[in-house]
Amino acid sequence: VFGEKFLTGDLCRYLKSEPIPHKVYAPWCGHCKKLEPEYNHLGEVLQNILSIVIAKMDGTKNEHALVQVKEFPTILFFPAGNKSKEPPLSVDTDRTVEAFLEYIKKNAAIPFTVPKIPEVKQEVSVGLGRIMANSEFVWIFKS
């Protein structure tokens, strides 16, 4: 049966997936460690824009059918719409709140007003809890 499914292309790919973590952090990865304050601040700035979700996940313990993570951190943007068939956009920009905001505003399928960036950075827990099919979201893959 396995051989027949292989030959016909009907095998389902197994993807790693861990339970949704409360906090994902890789203290040994310098690039991830350096980026974390920026995307936490980005999550704080965009927390009231319901069409945008900033989510982070451990790319060594989770996979997505349309994504191959080759380096850490990998930053991807999934425009609103059919996320199950459209590959995400690779976010190739400076890794600052301002640059991320500019990138998201430019590529968002759902228009939004960019909020003012607060001067004081506060630690914010940004989870995967409100990912919706019709929302924009950025995945931050961490090692």
Side-chain angles (χ1 to χ4, degrees), residues 42 46 49-55 76-83 88-89 91 100-101 103-113 126-128 130-139:
L42 180 66
L46 296 174
I49 308 295
L50 299 179
S51 64
I52 298 177
V53 175
I54 305 299
L76 301 171
F77 181 73
F78 291 74
N82 189 349
K83 291 176 190 49
L89 303 173
V91 178
F100 287 142
L101 283 170
Y103 181 90
I104 294 168
K105 179 75 174 164
K106 178 182 174 187
N107 292 284
I110 301 170
F112 68 97
T113 301
V126 180
L128 300 173
R130 64 177 182 96
I131 293 176
M132 299 167 278
N134 64 344
S135 65
E136 321 271 358
F137 67 99
V138 177
W139 273 3

Side-chain angles (χ1 to χ4, degrees), residues 18 21 23-37 39-40 55-62 69 71-76 95 139-143:
E18 69 177 347
K23 194 168 188 173
V24 178
Y25 189 65
W28 53 267
C29 175
H31 297 292
C32 297
K33 191 175 179 179
K34 183 178 177 185
L35 180 61
E36 185 167 38
Y39 68 74
N40 281 340
K56 58 185 174 179
M57 65 179 258
D58 186 336
T60 64
K61 296 180 181 176
N62 298 279
V69 177
E71 61 184 24
F72 296 99
T74 295
I75 306 169
L76 301 171
R95 294 182 173 190
W139 273 3
I140 310 289
F141 288 90
K142 297 185 70 181
S143 57

